Every structure is written in structure tokens, then in C-alpha cells.
């Protein structure tokens, strides 16, 4: 009889906890699939049992869970210091990355009195929307409720390996070619690249030199093929004769 009395007392305690758990999670619901990185609403409502949700859930938290019914695994706290007394019935949550992508996750609500309420299991998937089947189809207690054990995972982000703001190798090559004073073409011709040049040609072995016109101090541009010696000063005349000498030598 004493044993029966204890059992009855424990039943009353359990019933009182059940009665006070007037908060009923409503979303996510069975078949819900949430994508990593996106924001969704976790919602709840009053189940209509006294005392009201506003009185029984003045301070509660929400945790993301996984595992079976008898051995629930904590993953992360979603929110804390929530209150139904304010009339709030939802909380926006950005889905974390997990492994595996499967319908083995659920939320557990816990108030300041230690009372709990749970959502059904729902799926978390990646951007490709692919979902693995739960590892287990039957609970350890025998119920046909699929379950598994997941974990939080780091989200992989592709980063461009070329983060330099400097010129590319192709741009550097083009800049080097533009800066070069001499260019060698396929006919073994060497020519200067400046615009507005007056050029004369003469064979040197197999090559041809295109000699640019010379800008003499205080004088007009003079070419080797036509020089007005009478207008030259002595230093200019010496310089011109030297050019003629080298031209004659090269021919």
C-alpha cells in the first residue's frame, strides 16, 4: 500500500508538469525542410490548458537538439530569455550548417521551472536540397520514429586565390613591351618605337638599322642623307662628320 501511495504521488507530480506545459510548438512541423544559411520562423502557441501560456512560460529558452527520444543531444542554444507573457509567438532563426543533412533535428523549449516542450523532427539541408535518410528508423523504446545523431559543421566558403590588386602577368608583360625602346621583328629589323621619327635605312650584314633622326642642340632635326653643313656650329659639324664617318664605315 505504501508503494502504491508513492506511485500515485509521483503520478500527480508528473501530471502537474504535463498540465503546466501549456506552450505548444507549432513550427517546424512534420516534413519541414530548412536550408542552411536561410532565416525561418520558429513558432509556438497556447494549447488551451490552464494555466495559460503567458503565466507558465514567462522565461524560456530554445535549444537545437538531435539524437533519439531517450538520449537527446544538445547542439546549440537558439534563443534565451524569451517570454510568452509579452504575447510573442515566434522567433526568427538563421539555420546553421550541420552534418549530416537529414531530418534528425528538433527544437526543445525549456522554461524556468524546467518544463519542456518539443517540435517534431525536421530536416536541415544544403543549397542543393539533398537529404540523407535518417540512420535509424526505430527508437530505442520501439516507436517507429526515424532518428539519428547530427552535429554542427563549418560552412565551406570558396575564396578567390587571386586577391592581389596589382597588374596581372599579362598586363605586366604588355607594360614591359611598351616600355622597351627597341623592338626586334621577324625580319631581324631593329627600329625605335617613338612616333614622328625621320628614318634612314642601311644594310648591316643581314640586318637593317632604322636610325632615328637626331635632335641637335639649338638646331632643326637633321638626317644623315641631307645635312646643311653651312648652318652648323663647330660642335654640331664635328658631330655630323662623326656620324658620316660611322655611316660610311658601316656601309
Amino acid at each position: 500500500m505504501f508503494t502504491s501511495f508513492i506511485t500515485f504521488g509521483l503520478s500527480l507530480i508528473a501530471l502537474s508538469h504535463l498540465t503546466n506545459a501549456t506552450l505548444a510548438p507549432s513550427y517546424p512541423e512534420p516534413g519541414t525542410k530548412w536550408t542552411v544559411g536561410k532565416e525561418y520562423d520558429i513558432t509556438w502557441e497556447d494549447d488551451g490548458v490552464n494555466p495559460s501560456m503567458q503565466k507558465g512560460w514567462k522565461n524560456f529558452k530554445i535549444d537545437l537538439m538531435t539524437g533519439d527520444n531517450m538520449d537527446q543531444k544538445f547542439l546549440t542554444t537558439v534563443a534565451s530569455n524569451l517570454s510568452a507573457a509579452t504575447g510573442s509567438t515566434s522567433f526568427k532563426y538563421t539555420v546553421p550548417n550541420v552534418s549530416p543533412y537529414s531530418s534528425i533535428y528538433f527544437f526543445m523549449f525549456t522554461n524556468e521551472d524546467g518544463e519542456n516542450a518539443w517540435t517534431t523532427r525536421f530536416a536541415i539541408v544544403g543549397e542543393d536540397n539533398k537529404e540523407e535518410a535518417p540512420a535509424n528508423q526505430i527508437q530505442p523504446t520501439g516507436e517507429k520514429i526515424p532518428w539519428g545523431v547530427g552535429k554542427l559543421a563549418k560552412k565551406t566558403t570558396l575564396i578567390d586565390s587571386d586577391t592581389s590588386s596589382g597588374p596581372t602577368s599579362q598586363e605586366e608583360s604588355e607594360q614591359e613591351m611598351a616600355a622597351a625602346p627597341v623592338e626586334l621583328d621577324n625580319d631581324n629589323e631593329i627600329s625605335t618605337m617613338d612616333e614622328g621619327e625621320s628614318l634612314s635605312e642601311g644594310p648591316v650584314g643581314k640586318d637593317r638599322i632604322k636610325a632615328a633622326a637626331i635632335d641637335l642642340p639649338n638646331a632643326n632635326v637633321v638626317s644623315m642623307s641631307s645635312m646643311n653643313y653651312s648652318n652648323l656650329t663647330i660642335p654640331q659639324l664635328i658631330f655630323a662628320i662623326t656620324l658620316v664617318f660611322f655611316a660610311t664605315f658601316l656601309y
Side-chain angles (χ1 to χ4, degrees):
M1 180 177 180
F2 182 72
T3 303
S4 299
F5 179 79
I6 293 177
T7 303
F8 178 74
L10 292 175
S11 299
L12 287 177
I13 294 173
L15 181 60
S16 65
H17 276 275
L18 179 62
T19 303
N20 287 335
T22 56
L23 181 145
S26 54
Y27 191 77
E29 59 188 5
T32 297
K33 184 182 293 187
W34 284 0
T35 303
V36 171
K38 292 187 177 181
E39 185 179 73
Y40 299 90
D41 285 325
I42 302 171
T43 63
W44 55 89
E45 58 190 19
D46 195 315
D47 65 0
V49 178
N50 289 323
S52 67
M53 180 177 68
Q54 285 77 7
K55 293 181 178 180
W57 291 77
K58 294 179 180 179
N59 186 6
F60 66 94
K61 67 173 183 174
I62 304 174
D63 295 323
L64 177 63
M65 310 291 290
T66 188
D68 64 71
N69 290 350
M70 303 303 296
D71 186 17
Q72 302 175 19
K73 306 291 185 182
F74 169 83
L75 294 181
T76 186
T77 296
V78 173
S80 58
N81 298 321
L82 298 174
S83 178
T86 62
S88 174
T89 57
S90 66
F91 179 81
K92 291 188 178 297
Y93 182 56
T94 300
V95 182
N97 196 27
V98 296
S99 178
Y101 294 146
S102 183
S103 55
I104 56 174
Y105 305 97
F106 56 94
F107 293 117
M108 181 175 70
F109 296 65
T110 306
N111 68 10
E112 57 187 354
D113 295 326
E115 299 170 342
N116 301 113
W118 294 266
T119 66
T120 58
R121 287 175 173 80
F122 64 97
I124 296 179
V125 298
E127 295 179 356
D128 59 4
N129 203 40
K130 293 182 179 180
E131 177 185 350
E132 296 182 18
N136 307 280
Q137 298 300 313
I138 300 176
Q139 293 285 325
T141 51
E143 296 91 349
K144 293 183 178 181
I145 302 175
W147 66 279
V149 178
K151 62 181 180 179
L152 297 180
K154 292 182 179 180
K155 187 173 183 180
T156 303
T157 304
L158 296 178
I159 301 176
D160 189 354
S161 60
D162 184 13
T163 58
S164 172
S165 59
T168 63
S169 58
Q170 181 178 356
E171 291 173 342
E172 291 174 347
S173 177
E174 292 175 353
Q175 291 174 359
E176 291 174 357
M177 292 177 63
V182 177
E183 183 182 83
L184 180 64
D185 59 22
N186 296 330
D187 296 328
N188 293 324
E189 292 182 355
I190 302 176
S191 61
T192 60
M193 301 300 294
D194 295 334
E195 296 181 359
E197 295 175 341
S198 175
L199 304 177
S200 61
E201 300 182 358
V204 181
K206 296 181 180 180
D207 300 334
R208 290 179 297 165
I209 295 179
K210 294 181 179 180
I214 303 167
D215 187 6
L216 297 177
N218 300 321
N220 296 325
V221 175
V222 182
S223 67
M224 291 175 57
S225 59
S226 60
M227 292 188 294
N228 188 353
Y229 297 97
S230 62
N231 294 329
L232 297 179
T233 62
I234 293 177
Q236 292 174 344
L237 183 59
I238 294 173
F239 186 76
I241 292 173
T242 303
L243 288 179
V244 173
F245 173 78
F246 277 106
T248 303
F249 176 78
L250 292 176
Y251 274 94

